Amino acid sequence: MQAKKRYILVFVSCAFLAYAYFGGYRLKVSPLRPRRAQHESAKDGGVQPHEQLPSFIGSHDVQELKILQSNLSKSSDIVKNQIVRKPDCRMETCFDFTRCYDRFLVYIYPPEPLNSLGAAPPTSANYQKILTAIQESRYHTNDPTAACLFVLGIDTLDRDSLSEDYVRNVPSRLARLPYWNNGRNHIIFNLYSGTWPDYAENSLGFDAGEAILAKASMGVLQLRHGFDVSIPLFHKQFPLRAGATGSVQSNNFPANKKYLLAFKGKRYVHGIGSETRNSLFHLHNGRDMVLVTTCRHGKSWRELQDNRCDEDNREYDRYDYETLLQNSTFCLVPRGRRLGSFRFLEALQAGCIPVLLSNAWVLPFESKIDWKQAAIWADERLLLQVPDIVRSISAERIFALRQQTQVLWERYFGSIEKIVFTTFEIIRERLPDYPVRSSLVWNSSPGALLTLPTFADSSRYMPFLLNSMGAEPRHNYTAVIYVQIGAALGPNAALYKLVKTITKSQFVERILVLWAADRPLPLKKRWPPTNHIPLHVISLGGSTRSLGAGPTSQTTEGRPSISQRFLPYEEIQTDAVLSLDEDAILNTDELDFAYTVWRDFPERIVGYPARAHFWDDSKNAWGYTSKWTNYYSIVLTGAAFYHRYYNYLYTNWLSLLLLKTVQQSSNCEDILMNLLVSHVTRKPPIKVTQRKGYKDRETGRSPWNDPDHFIQRQSCLNTFAAVFGYMPLIRSNLRMDPMLYRDPVSNLRKKYRQIELVGS
């Protein structure tokens, strides 16, 4: 009997296990029950039993989910305009890398032909600025077959159908583009999407397909990570180039601002984005917390106003917005109708630390910029915690955050040009064979746009990163002598004396002579002995004479350009470059002392002859002077040290318009190099040991003696400032002298004895 019971128990257990294994729970659900009923039970708030949940999602379920999403939409127009985007779109699947292997070039579609009424399709001012920035850059190409990226000639910035800048019939226009290919290798710029009342983020009114979206107010659920690029929202008056610099004029510590937290802006009585701003009055105390809003906007605000509107408007009118920006430590950046806000860039420029109150917003260029160094996050759902958050931040961190706002503003956000170029460089770093800049490069000055990773394998060779990485420039220098006159070479010639002086320097590694004169190269026997210092002579477009086994020579093709003195010649292997004119008069002590100073300031130009710029009110233009003043802003490259990276940057980064100006004038290349270095470093050059004469006046043929010389240079200076968008040059009163220079002590106690023997 006991054995029979055991057999029955084993049988029942096996049956139960088999029932469970083959889906016994699933058999309880009627196969005739429609799947939609299951969705409805969950939608009505009922909890669906776990035994009714499907084990997987099939194609039928996906279709039903799409239908359900459409039924939940509040507006059929918005549903009609929503983008169907591939959730798995990546650079590997939606981008053709083969178009970008040679060069990273951008093609802009030509403007559409005039319509039957003779009118061109509308283009907003900001979109035209984007196109202009690209067309005048090194990215641009007129050859679509050579392009890596394509930019639409159709204005897509404002996709709010109620806006005056809204462009209609975009789908049909895209279909007519010869290289559209479902958007592959295209980039679409957009600031506003969706319209009242929902402002749907993905409502562009056309299918972007496989195009990269460079879009403002992007949410984490809409961004295709590693593919799309989040950009900042900027207003219609935003500058094309450079624009205003950061507003922080001093680095006082602690900051001691009048207000701790401030905000002044619109609030929305109802609709999307209204909850956050409608609650800000709870934080306002009128002392260190000033958060004022107004509902006085729009045509029908009177009809829509609530009980608090009048009181809010009175408080709103008490404060000036610019005054709040400049006198607040933190600036609140709450979401508006969309996730992004104009307040974000305004706070960055003012050095007011942004406090973000926009859940799910993907910050601009978030894949590269470490926003923890420049902004504070808060939660819209925990608004009342904001005062405690900002009060808990130490003075040291406030100081660091404030400094970083200025770095990011000036390097990436100060103009439309910088925003567009930053977008391109982020995409460029996604290419398989292109070097990727480190986070340190992206988040420190001078930033990624001015740090070309193709220059060297490591960023430690960049002049502006040496100190931050605890490194020093490599020893010795290469002397580069630019010969434009080409006087007869003999023991009394300035060039002969200069080469002889350089060879006596303890730091020189090699000498490079750039021969741009019409005269043929001198014979080998006419050059001074170089004491085993290699001497290379390169003829810039002229005839070349072999110099034998000692010095080497080569020829470049085409008409010589004065900018060729700044080419990144492969013969230059040292970090330091000593740039010299053929008629410079310097002794060995002067060269060695200037090089020693440069090693302490490798990111700057260090040299002897100085000039200054000034603003001429009578001409409403920049002026250039060589008069002796109490300040200078230019150190001429006729006798100066600088880092060889600036040769690479001058050749491969500067606008072609700037280089064309230099070539046409055969002048001003030294001014342009000074503007470039000051633009990169935001620092002035350094003058060493005052001297009144550094040129040999042995010939009157020197262009330096031309009476039109200064008029031409003033014209260059204004052209350069216009292309940069601002004046990069910075004034300085500093001069570096050797220890005991001109002190009334024995000359034997001085290290650089020859300097004072030259005279003042």
Side-chain angles (χ1 to χ4, degrees):
M1 190 67 182
Q2 295 294 331
K4 184 177 181 179
K5 289 182 179 180
R6 283 198 296 270
Y7 287 130
I8 294 174
L9 182 60
V10 170
F11 176 78
V12 172
S13 300
C14 292
F16 178 79
L17 292 174
Y19 177 71
Y21 179 79
F22 289 106
Y25 285 115
R26 211 171 293 142
L27 296 177
K28 293 182 180 180
V29 181
S30 173
L32 300 178
R33 184 183 181 189
R35 291 178 181 267
R36 185 174 300 278
Q38 300 176 30
H39 285 301
E40 292 299 330
S41 64
K43 180 180 176 183
D44 293 339
V47 178
Q48 192 174 358
H50 66 84
E51 63 267 17
Q52 297 181 13
L53 293 174
S55 60
F56 62 91
I57 297 180
S59 59
H60 181 74
D61 300 273
V62 173
Q63 185 63 27
E64 286 194 346
L65 287 174
K66 290 182 179 179
I67 296 173
L68 181 61
Q69 183 180 11
S70 299
N71 292 337
L72 292 175
S73 176
K74 295 183 179 180
S75 171
S76 60
D77 291 334
I78 292 176
V79 172
K80 188 185 302 182
N81 292 333
Q82 281 184 345
I83 300 174
V84 180
R85 288 165 50 191
K86 298 180 180 180
D88 59 345
C89 207
R90 305 184 307 274
M91 294 293 289
E92 295 80 7
T93 59
C94 300
F95 195 87
D96 184 2
F97 292 121
T98 61
R99 301 190 65 97
C100 312
Y101 285 152
D102 294 333
R103 296 180 63 190
F104 188 85
L105 297 176
V106 181
Y107 175 78
I108 299 177
Y109 285 97
E112 291 186 324
L114 302 180
N115 57 26
S116 58
L117 300 177
T123 301
S124 64
N126 273 347
Y127 198 71
Q128 186 57 54
K129 291 176 185 176
I130 291 176
L131 299 183
T132 300
I134 300 172
Q135 289 167 342
E136 296 180 356
S137 74
R138 287 178 175 267
Y139 297 104
H140 184 246
T141 179
N142 289 317
D143 181 7
T145 62
C148 172
L149 278 180
F150 293 81
V151 173
L152 304 180
I154 306 167
D155 186 354
T156 56
L157 282 187
D158 195 340
R159 301 308 298 159
D160 185 339
S161 58
L162 300 179
S163 171
E164 59 182 11
D165 292 327
Y166 181 80
V167 177
R168 305 186 182 279
N169 303 320
V170 171
S172 60
R173 292 176 174 178
L174 291 178
R176 293 195 295 268
L177 298 179
Y179 311 103
W180 175 242
N181 191 23
N182 194 33
R184 179 164 290 225
N185 284 65
H186 285 63
I187 182 170
I188 294 175
F189 291 93
N190 174 255
L191 296 181
Y192 311 99
S193 59
T195 188
W196 172 267
D198 298 275
Y199 296 94
E201 183 184 336
N202 59 348
S203 178
L204 293 177
F206 62 90
D207 184 358
E210 296 178 346
I212 296 173
L213 290 181
K215 189 177 182 303
S217 304
M218 264 196 173
V220 293
L221 297 180
Q222 296 297 330
L223 177 79
R224 293 172 289 185
H225 292 277
F227 192 74
D228 294 329
V229 180
S230 178
I231 64 174
L233 187 65
F234 50 86
H235 52 71
K236 292 184 177 181
Q237 292 75 37
F238 211 66
L240 168 60
R241 294 188 183 89
T245 57
S247 301
V248 176
Q249 301 298 325
S250 64
N251 283 325
N252 294 334
F253 177 82
N256 292 328
K257 295 296 186 90
K258 181 177 181 181
Y259 305 110
L260 180 63
L261 179 67
F263 172 77
K264 181 178 181 180
K266 300 176 183 177
R267 74 174 175 90
Y268 310 103
V269 178
H270 60 85
I272 189 170
S274 60
E275 299 87 353
T276 302
R277 297 197 180 196
N278 281 346
S279 303
L280 294 183
F281 75 96
H282 291 293
L283 307 183
H284 174 72
N285 61 20
R287 298 185 302 275
D288 62 340
M289 299 272 182
V290 176
L291 299 104
V292 290
T293 59
T294 180
C295 56
R296 191 174 53 227
H297 56 89
K299 297 180 180 179
S300 56
W301 72 271
R302 283 289 184 189
E303 291 79 7
L304 301 175
Q305 66 177 338
D306 56 18
N307 296 331
R308 216 179 64 250
C309 271
D310 290 337
E311 180 183 352
D312 282 354
N313 292 339
R314 286 192 298 269
E315 195 71 8
Y316 180 89
D317 293 336
R318 288 182 53 199
Y319 298 93
D320 176 72
Y321 179 61
E322 289 298 327
T323 302
L324 284 178
L325 272 180
Q326 300 300 326
N327 291 279
S328 300
T329 301
F330 297 94
C331 285
L332 196 68
V333 183
R335 66 159 296 161
R337 292 300 193 192
R338 300 173 178 87
L339 292 175
S341 169
F342 292 131
R343 298 293 181 268
F344 183 67
L345 287 189
E346 292 167 352
L348 277 184
Q349 181 183 3
C352 189
I353 302 165
V355 178
L356 307 173
L357 210 60
S358 181
N359 293 4
W361 180 30
V362 179
L363 293 187
F365 310 139
E366 52 81 31
S367 63
K368 297 297 181 182
I369 294 179
D370 182 6
W371 284 108
K372 295 190 294 296
Q373 298 182 27
I376 301 297
W377 275 263
D379 194 318
E380 293 181 70
R381 299 163 299 183
L382 303 173
L383 179 66
L384 298 182
Q385 291 185 2
V386 171
D388 292 334
I389 292 174
V390 296
R391 293 185 198 279
S392 66
I393 299 174
S394 66
E396 291 80 6
R397 192 181 177 209
I398 289 174
F399 185 72
L401 290 167
R402 190 161 173 255
Q403 284 187 317
Q404 189 66 5
T405 62
Q406 301 302 279
V407 171
L408 297 179
W409 166 261
E410 293 188 358
R411 299 308 181 180
Y412 304 116
F413 299 104
S415 67
I416 290 178
E417 181 183 67
K418 292 177 182 176
I419 293 171
V420 172
F421 291 176
T422 304
T423 302
F424 286 164
E425 287 303 310
I426 290 175
I427 297 173
R428 192 178 196 175
E429 285 198 0
R430 297 171 181 169
L431 302 181
D433 297 329
Y434 194 78
V436 177
R437 303 170 182 89
S438 66
S439 178
L440 173 65
V441 170
W442 277 97
N443 293 281
S444 60
S445 192
L449 298 186
L450 290 166
T451 306
L452 304 186
T454 51
F455 168 71
D457 295 335
S458 172
S459 57
R460 67 178 297 272
Y461 297 116
M462 301 296 177
F464 34 77
L465 293 177
L466 288 172
N467 292 332
S468 61
M469 302 184 72
E472 292 184 352
R474 288 172 288 188
H475 288 283
N476 299 336
Y477 65 84
T478 301
V480 180
I481 306 173
Y482 186 74
V483 180
Q484 193 171 14
I485 302 171
L489 192 62
N492 295 323
L495 178 58
Y496 187 97
K497 296 177 181 177
L498 183 59
V499 173
K500 190 175 180 180
T501 298
I502 296 172
T503 59
K504 297 177 182 178
S505 171
Q506 59 179 316
F507 302 114
V508 65
E509 183 164 302
R510 69 178 61 194
I511 302 172
L512 182 63
V513 177
L514 306 178
W515 194 271
D518 294 331
R519 294 171 181 258
L521 288 173
L523 297 174
K524 174 187 175 182
K525 63 182 181 181
R526 292 192 173 274
W527 293 90
T530 58
N531 299 329
H532 305 291
I533 303 297
L535 173 63
H536 303 269
V537 181
I538 299 178
S539 180
L540 304 179
S543 61
T544 301
R545 187 189 299 266
S546 175
L547 300 182
T552 60
S553 65
Q554 66 184 77
T555 305
T556 59
E557 298 296 331
R559 175 176 171 235
S561 168
I562 200 168
S563 286
Q564 287 180 291
R565 72 183 302 169
F566 296 136
L567 287 175
Y569 295 99
E570 62 181 16
E571 289 82 1
I572 303 175
Q573 297 297 319
T574 58
D575 286 344
V577 177
L578 170 59
S579 177
L580 294 164
D581 287 341
E582 61 187 303
D583 51 356
I585 305 175
L586 294 169
N587 59 47
T588 305
D589 273 4
E590 289 176 304
L591 298 179
D592 290 351
F593 173 66
Y595 172 72
T596 303
V597 173
W598 176 85
R599 285 188 60 82
D600 291 330
F601 304 93
E603 76 279 13
R604 304 203 211 182
I605 296 177
V606 176
Y608 286 92
R611 300 289 183 265
H613 78 291
F614 62 94
W615 180 254
D616 190 340
D617 287 323
S618 62
K619 298 180 180 179
N620 196 32
W622 294 105
Y624 172 88
T625 180
S626 63
K627 295 180 180 179
W628 286 74
T629 61
N630 290 327
Y631 69 91
Y632 64 92
S633 55
I634 298 171
V635 167
L636 302 184
T637 54
F641 283 92
Y642 61 86
H643 197 283
R644 71 187 181 102
Y645 175 68
Y646 295 122
N647 280 352
Y648 192 83
L649 207 60
Y650 186 101
T651 305
N652 296 287
W653 182 85
L654 279 177
S655 167
L656 296 177
L657 179 59
L658 294 172
L659 299 180
K660 185 177 180 180
T661 301
V662 171
Q663 183 174 7
Q664 290 177 343
S665 64
S666 294
N667 197 345
C668 310
E669 84 290 349
D670 49 355
I671 298 178
L672 182 55
M673 177 59 85
N674 273 266
L675 264 76
L676 172 63
V677 176
S678 292
H679 174 69
V680 171
T681 63
R682 294 293 196 269
K683 298 174 183 177
I686 294 178
K687 176 177 171 56
V688 290
T689 311
Q690 180 175 4
R691 293 197 57 198
K692 290 185 177 179
Y694 82 100
K695 289 279 189 175
D696 191 324
R697 309 303 176 86
E698 66 178 16
T699 174
R701 295 175 54 200
S702 172
W704 192 73
N705 297 321
D706 190 341
D708 296 329
H709 180 75
F710 287 97
I711 297 176
Q712 193 175 53
R713 290 170 79 81
Q714 286 189 9
S715 176
C716 289
L717 190 62
N718 284 278
T719 300
F720 296 160
V723 176
F724 273 96
Y726 78 115
M727 173 51 74
L729 295 178
I730 300 173
R731 293 182 178 182
S732 176
N733 306 100
L734 174 68
R735 191 185 81 203
M736 292 290 187
D737 293 335
M739 289 291 291
L740 303 179
Y741 177 68
R742 292 198 174 184
D743 284 355
V745 297
S746 170
N747 200 40
L748 297 176
R749 297 176 60 186
K750 302 180 181 181
K751 182 176 181 180
Y752 302 99
R753 302 170 188 172
Q754 297 181 32
I755 293 181
E756 294 185 40
L757 299 180
V758 181
S760 59

